[in-house]
Structures are given as C-alpha cells and as structure tokens.
Amino acid sequence: VQLQASGGGLVQAGGSLRLSCAASGNTFSINGMGWYRQPPGKQRELVAAITRGGSTNYADPVKGRFTISADNAKNTMYLQMNSLKPEDTAVYYCNAEIRQAILGGNWRFYDVWGQGTQVTVSS
C-alpha cells in the first residue's frame, strides 16, 4: 500500500483546509487509517482516526473543529479542518494500519505512512 497526502498550505486563523490521502496498491489490506501531525520541535501525535467500518475518534484539541472521512470507492481519506488555530501548525501525515494474513491463520499488523504535508496557520 502506498499513501499520497495533499492539501496542505498557508491559511489565516479561523480559516479552513481539507487534506486528502489517496491510497493505492492492495487497499483491501487496510484495517484503518488516520491523520497524525508533528508540530515544530515536538513529537508526532494522533489527530484523528477512522476504522474500516467508519468509526471515528479525535484528539481532544481538534474535537468539534476537524472531521475525518473516507471515500472507499476512491480509496481516499480526508481531513476537513475548520476554525484553524496557530497551534494547528504542523506537518500532517496520513497513516494506514495494514492487516496481513500469516501462517497458522494469524494476522500481522503494521503501519504505512504517507509523505507529510505542511499546514501553517497564521495569527
């Protein structure tokens, strides 16, 4: 599976952006997807996640402002970001959890990452 993120940019506080993450390859192996971000000088953190069944969860700082969604027909995940704040400035990465069958009827899980896309929110 390969992931291609897009949609970042420079926006003023209070504005909106929509990030996209297009998946290609063996997309049937995707168990769930998510968006992470890494602010300058800080560690990467989870922003939002969505399961194959459509269940979602969000980090507290973005609840009520960001919406994660997926279009399975297009193999694309989105992150709609509204009411952006300067503290949302970060490199945003999309992630997919891959489920792979292994011997003995068991499963192996591993992560695939897309390239980052910069989001800068000016005050």
Side-chain angles (χ1 to χ4, degrees), residues 30-33 49-56 70 72:
I30 296 176
N31 195 48
M33 298 185 74
I50 186 166
T51 68
R52 193 170 185 87
S55 298
T56 59
N72 292 332

Side-chain angles (χ1 to χ4, degrees), residues 34-40 42-49 58-62 65-66 79 87-95 113:
W35 288 98
Y36 288 72
R37 68 185 181 187
Q38 187 164 15
K42 296 184 179 181
Q43 291 188 333
R44 193 174 298 189
E45 61 187 16
L46 175 68
V47 176
Y58 297 89
D60 286 343
V62 308
R65 300 188 297 122
F66 291 10
L79 185 68
E87 51 263 44
D88 294 318
T89 295
V91 178
Y92 283 70
Y93 298 89
C94 58
N95 164 276
W113 295 89

